[in-house]
Amino acid sequence: MTTATVTPPDAPSTSGPHWTPRLWGTLIVLCAAMFLDALDVSMVGVALPSIGADLHLSTSTLQWVVSGYVLGYGGLLLLGGRAADLLGRRRVFLVALGVFAAASLVGGLVDDGGLLIAARFLKGVSAAFTAPAGLSIITTTFAEGPARNRALSIYTTCGASGFSLGLVLSGLLTSVGWRWTFLMPVPVALLALLFAVRLLPRPVEERAKGGYDALGAITGTATVLLLVFTVTEAQGAGWLSPRTLGSLLVVAALAAAFLRVESRTAHPLVRLGIFRNGSIARANVVAFAMAGAYGGFQFVVTLYLQHLLGWSALEMALGLLPAGAIIALSAPFMGPIVDRFGTGRLLPIGVFSLVAAFALFLRLDEHSSYPGLVLPSMLLLGVGFAFAFPSVNIAATAGVADEEQGLASGLVNTAIQVGTAVVLAGATAMIAAGSAGGDSPQAQLDGYRPALLFVTAVALLGLAVAAVGAVVDRHRASTPVTVPNPATSPDPIGAPVGSTEARAEVLTRR
């Protein structure tokens, strides 16, 4: 079954410069959920030593407090995005947000490591449904153009703020008690749920004939879950161990089966033709590289500041604050900036700023000062994410028909989560190999530098793809477009080119 959203006749216009209080309330609710989803990716990091000491968890078990969330989040995003399209975005968002609040409460109260990891996995699963549902609600509520750019800029900036402020809040809350890092999201999620029930639009839905791609859902979800699990466990098992190599072979086989199923089924979980839109394909690659590089960088910075320089959790929280502050304060201004300059220009600028931040940190040593090393990188990170994160989400959902907005949202969020898991695993392996198990300051530095080079190289890959996109956009803008006569030129699926469905299909297949 496929769901096509039909806007009611009396729905308020979102294309004008002035939005109604209800529209603002809808956007704030969705931003709150996105902030919590992103916050949970990074907020638990500083609390890990306290959690391990209190619950008597080994290092290998403790990593699953982080990895469990990433596994659930990254593994089920495609399914979550498609569920939003098929079952209704509002319904999926409300149910998943309620599960997120309940799992947060359980995580803050349990005294068993296994239950804590299970709660984290469940939170990740719920986020895998709220993130694409929320993003697709925005892209189907706000008209494409300045209104949508403005809404997406605010929304994605809130997500980037949550991601970057996670360590800051974690440091502050851990100084009180690690359980507060789990309990703090509960009242925020419940309040957002309460307002979401009243404010989220209730679209009239028409269900067309079709079916659910059960086999695609099984093979696609299994592929992503096993990939995230494999790269997470590779550090302990060894990248060249039979276990890791065998698991990667199974991932490749599942991916091949998934692609075969999607190319043959009439109603696929992921319509492969969506990647014919070069802008969408490039945006997903940039999202993978950008998020992955930052995830690895954040891990290195946490170890460096706490283990080598001896910073406390609170000191680290305050030291990283400038990046999050820049991202948060930029939210009201990014929409007009995107409208004026376009994502094709802003995305390379943002990713270049991230590359510069990572490269500057390569100067780290045993006695680096905050003004000389940490602060410049934090400022560049803030600027980079302020420009790049809204741009990549706008590019990843532009020109997509309403009935596939959940799919497009799920794809870009999957790229972000899988990128984080893969690059973080690679950075962790390089730290272990470089330090050779030594605890001396020099041994630690020998592990951090290769990891920083690795994340910088990944970010450079994202910069190269973003630059190609800028060149393509400039060439396309300078090339005259011949618009066929809608009365005489049918589109590939038989609808007149002038129809809304045809325009969306042509944009997506272009």
Side-chain angles (χ1 to χ4, degrees):
M1 300 285 288
T2 57
T3 301
T5 302
V6 179
T7 305
D10 59 347
S13 173
T14 64
S15 58
H18 302 293
W19 295 346
T20 65
R22 185 183 185 90
L23 277 174
W24 274 111
T26 298
L27 182 59
I28 291 171
V29 165
L30 297 173
C31 285
M34 181 60 177
F35 182 86
L36 291 177
D37 290 346
L39 190 73
D40 252 308
V41 175
S42 59
M43 188 169 66
V44 75
V46 180
L48 288 178
S50 300
I51 295 171
D54 192 19
L55 300 184
H56 309 290
L57 302 180
S58 65
T59 302
S60 59
T61 303
L62 193 61
Q63 71 158 338
W64 278 103
V65 177
V66 176
S67 301
Y69 183 85
V70 175
L71 182 65
Y73 197 173
L76 294 170
L77 270 165
L78 286 179
L79 186 60
R82 199 60 183 145
D85 288 335
L86 296 174
L87 303 177
R89 301 175 183 96
R90 183 180 187 274
R91 181 185 300 115
V92 168
F93 182 86
L94 293 177
V95 172
L97 186 57
V99 173
F100 185 93
S104 297
L105 180 62
V106 171
L109 298 178
V110 297
D111 289 314
D112 178 77
L115 291 177
L116 178 61
I117 294 170
R120 289 283 294 170
F121 176 77
L122 188 58
K123 287 181 73 173
V125 171
S126 64
F129 286 81
T130 58
L135 183 55
S136 59
I137 287 173
I138 288 179
T139 55
T140 54
T141 301
F142 295 86
E144 187 166 2
R148 184 184 294 181
N149 291 347
R150 182 186 182 191
L152 281 177
S153 296
I154 296 172
Y155 176 76
T156 54
T157 301
C158 285
S161 299
F163 195 61
S164 61
L165 288 174
L167 286 175
V168 177
L169 291 176
S170 181
L172 296 173
L173 293 172
T174 302
S175 62
V176 180
W178 68 264
R179 293 184 183 276
W180 288 105
T181 61
F182 295 89
L183 295 175
M184 186 277 287
V186 176
V188 180
L190 291 176
L191 191 62
L193 181 61
L194 176 65
F195 280 97
V197 171
R198 297 179 58 85
L199 294 174
L200 290 189
R202 297 176 179 269
V204 179
E205 295 180 340
E206 296 178 351
R207 296 187 178 275
K209 293 182 179 181
Y212 291 96
D213 179 17
L215 186 56
I218 293 171
T219 55
T221 301
T223 299
V224 181
L225 278 172
L226 185 57
L227 174 62
V228 175
F229 178 83
T230 301
V231 298
T232 302
E233 286 286 278
Q235 172 58 27
W239 283 93
L240 298 179
S241 67
R243 172 181 166 182
T244 301
L245 294 177
S247 185
L248 289 174
L249 285 175
V250 176
V251 169
L254 285 171
F258 173 71
L259 293 175
R260 183 175 179 83
V261 169
E262 299 309 278
S263 65
R264 291 174 175 268
T265 185
H267 303 281
L269 177 70
V270 177
R271 187 177 63 80
L272 300 180
I274 197 171
F275 292 110
R276 295 174 188 168
N277 184 325
S279 176
I280 292 176
R282 288 189 296 270
N284 278 274
V285 174
V286 175
F288 176 97
M290 182 176 69
Y294 177 72
F297 176 76
Q298 183 188 70
F299 184 69
V300 174
V301 170
T302 302
L303 294 179
Y304 172 69
L305 296 181
Q306 288 194 343
H307 291 178
L308 188 56
L309 298 189
W311 287 24
S312 67
L314 181 59
E315 287 174 330
M316 193 174 72
L318 296 176
L320 302 182
L321 182 59
I326 291 174
I327 296 170
L329 293 174
S330 69
F333 310 104
M334 287 312 302
I337 292 175
V338 171
D339 291 337
R340 180 172 181 179
F341 297 103
T343 59
R345 294 180 180 178
L346 294 181
L347 190 54
I349 293 173
V351 181
F352 176 81
S353 184
L354 296 178
V355 171
F358 304 151
L360 278 178
F361 218 85
L362 285 166
R363 301 174 298 125
L364 81 172
D365 58 36
E366 298 179 37
H367 308 289
S368 297
S369 66
Y370 179 76
L373 179 71
V374 182
L375 182 59
S377 288
M378 292 303 107
L379 295 176
L380 286 168
L381 275 177
V383 173
F385 268 108
F387 282 113
F389 211 68
S391 298
V392 79
N393 278 276
I394 291 171
T397 55
V400 179
D402 280 359
E403 61 267 21
E404 289 193 323
Q405 282 293 335
L407 167 61
S409 304
L411 286 171
V412 69
N413 279 286
T414 298
I416 290 171
Q417 295 306 316
V418 174
T420 301
V422 171
V423 179
L424 176 58
T428 304
M430 290 185 176
I431 291 174
S435 63
D439 293 329
S440 68
Q442 187 57 50
Q444 293 182 56
L445 289 173
D446 289 342
Y448 299 152
R449 287 196 179 100
L452 285 172
L453 282 171
F454 173 60
V455 300
T456 304
V458 172
L460 279 171
L461 171 64
L463 177 59
V465 175
V468 169
V471 173
V472 171
D473 288 347
R474 182 175 301 178
H475 175 72
R476 183 178 296 161
S478 63
T479 303
V481 178
T482 302
V483 180
N485 186 338
T488 60
S489 302
D491 85 320
I493 59 173
V497 171
S499 70
T500 302
E501 293 82 0
R503 286 197 300 271
E505 184 70 13
V506 168
L507 280 170
T508 306
R509 291 181 178 273
R510 189 174 62 187

